[in-house]
Amino acid sequence: MTKAAPLRNLTPGLCEHVRQEMLEACQAVAERHGLAVEGGDIGDVNLRHGFDIRFRVGIPLMDGALFEPEKAMFEVMADLYGLRPSDFGRTFSTGRETFRITAIHPNRPKYPISVERIPDKRGFKFTAEDVALYLSKDE
């Protein structure tokens, strides 16, 4: 096996190729143990240094999906923050950037809503009021 030349920069295409190979490898290992894998989402991309990949491994539910504690918490708490349970995973635009809702954190009273910026999956915190306003503008 020949060793690849050292990289100076990553490319979006290479990041995606590595993500796909890693997801396939994780799925093969998980299946051998009766588990399921979801995710493989790329985040915190820095083309000069690296990126994060997040996988979730667990016992599959009846439909084959994995239990998502963030989604379950969101569905229970959404009404208390002026949101709907179905808002989990929705995207909204601030006018300059687009975000996806990923969680509610009641222990952060000022900024309880966690979101990720769509292009790079970087996490941010928002007030519930701002998120409700942005969602209503997108409807």
Side-chain angles (χ1 to χ4, degrees), residues 26-105:
C26 286
Q27 287 172 331
V29 171
E31 286 175 12
R32 282 197 303 267
H33 296 282
L35 300 169
V37 175
E38 286 183 351
D41 298 327
I42 294 177
D44 276 340
V45 177
N46 181 323
L47 295 177
R48 296 188 58 73
H49 300 288
F51 57 94
D52 293 340
I53 299 179
R54 189 179 86 194
F55 297 100
R56 185 172 184 78
V57 180
I59 299 169
L61 299 172
M62 296 299 284
D63 65 358
L66 295 179
F67 176 74
E68 293 181 67
E70 296 87 5
K71 183 177 181 182
M73 172 71 89
F74 191 94
E75 290 172 348
V76 169
M77 304 292 293
D79 290 334
L80 298 174
Y81 291 91
L83 300 170
R84 296 183 304 248
S86 61
D87 289 336
F88 182 83
R90 280 189 60 194
T91 60
F92 63 88
S93 174
T94 62
R96 294 173 41 185
E97 297 178 304
T98 304
F99 298 90
R100 178 179 302 115
I101 299 171
T102 60
I104 281 183
H105 296 278

Side-chain angles (χ1 to χ4, degrees), residues 113-135:
I113 310 301
S114 290
V115 301
E116 65 182 12
R117 188 167 51 197
I118 297 296
D120 61 2
K121 310 266 192 215
R122 186 169 180 194
F124 292 87
K125 300 178 242 179
F126 276 76
T127 66
E129 295 79 15
D130 285 347
V131 171
L133 179 66
Y134 290 130
L135 287 173

